[in-house]
Amino acid sequence: MKNILFLCTGNSARSLMAEAIMKREGRGRFRAYSAGSQPADAPHPYTTDLLKRLNHGTESVRTKSWDEFAGVGAPGMDFVFTVCDQAAQEVCPVWPGQPMTAHWGVPDPVRAEGNEAEKRLAFSEAYRMLNNRISIFVNLPFEELDKLSLQHRLDEIGKG
């Protein structure tokens, strides 16, 4: 099992979605976590609504600080992906295990403007983008890729 941490600033939408998607798509091959550099008080309600509607378990969905994953006793990460531009520009803690990293930026649905339908559409679009990237990731031929090739593929996923 490989450990994956998805990072964002608030940990209220994108990183939580990515964690939920990876838990489903990883099917025992990957253990998913999410955190934020400045976590919100709670997940955004549209995030939990969307995850429930798509049959993801939401009972354990909570915002978390990335400090939880940088200290003594934290699980060693194999991969750390930033899903927002601000977190990608911040100085990250030193992660136990020296994980591979990549930036998979997705527009912030929390900042979406318009009526409720337009805002919810932004959440659905963020979910779709993350789902596509995670689907590509879990289907990579890991056993055939050396570290440099894998890093190149991780970076390419973020550009797609």
Side-chain angles (χ1 to χ4, degrees):
M1 278 262 263
K2 301 286 186 187
N3 291 331
I4 300 175
L5 178 61
F6 293 98
L7 295 176
C8 204
T9 303
N11 190 223
S12 69
R14 294 166 288 185
S15 52
L16 290 173
M17 290 180 204
E19 178 183 7
I21 295 164
M22 183 58 78
K23 283 180 177 177
R24 179 181 288 168
E25 296 300 314
R27 291 191 183 88
R29 294 177 41 217
F30 300 98
R31 189 174 302 121
Y33 303 93
S34 69
S37 58
Q38 300 168 32
D41 291 335
H44 193 285
Y46 290 177
T47 302
T48 51
D49 287 350
L50 178 65
L51 293 175
K52 284 179 188 174
R53 195 165 26 91
L54 297 172
N55 298 313
H56 288 279
T58 58
E59 51 283 337
S60 64
V61 173
R62 66 180 180 89
T63 59
K64 302 164 283 301
S65 171
W66 65 13
D67 294 336
E68 278 188 41
F69 301 96
V72 175
M77 294 298 152
D78 297 289
F79 301 95
V80 175
F81 301 128
T82 53
V83 293
C84 73
D85 292 335
Q86 188 170 341
Q89 295 170 5
E90 294 182 52
V91 176
C92 292
V94 175
W95 306 112
Q98 299 179 337
M100 297 189 79
T101 62
H103 176 59
W104 292 359
V106 172
D108 188 358
V110 173
R111 296 187 187 277
E113 296 182 6
N115 61 35
E116 182 177 353
E118 291 167 323
K119 291 177 183 179
R120 288 187 182 271
L121 180 61
F123 278 79
S124 294
E125 181 62 13
Y127 181 96
R128 182 194 64 75
M129 291 174 73
L130 290 163
N131 191 60
N132 287 346
R133 290 174 182 182
I134 290 168
S135 178
I136 293 167
F137 172 79
V138 300
N139 287 297
L140 288 174
F142 291 94
E143 58 284 340
E144 298 173 17
L145 297 171
D146 61 37
K147 195 165 185 157
L148 186 59
S149 298
L150 179 56
Q151 184 64 61
H152 177 73
R153 298 290 286 273
L154 297 179
D155 293 339
E156 288 298 312
I157 290 170
K159 293 175 185 172

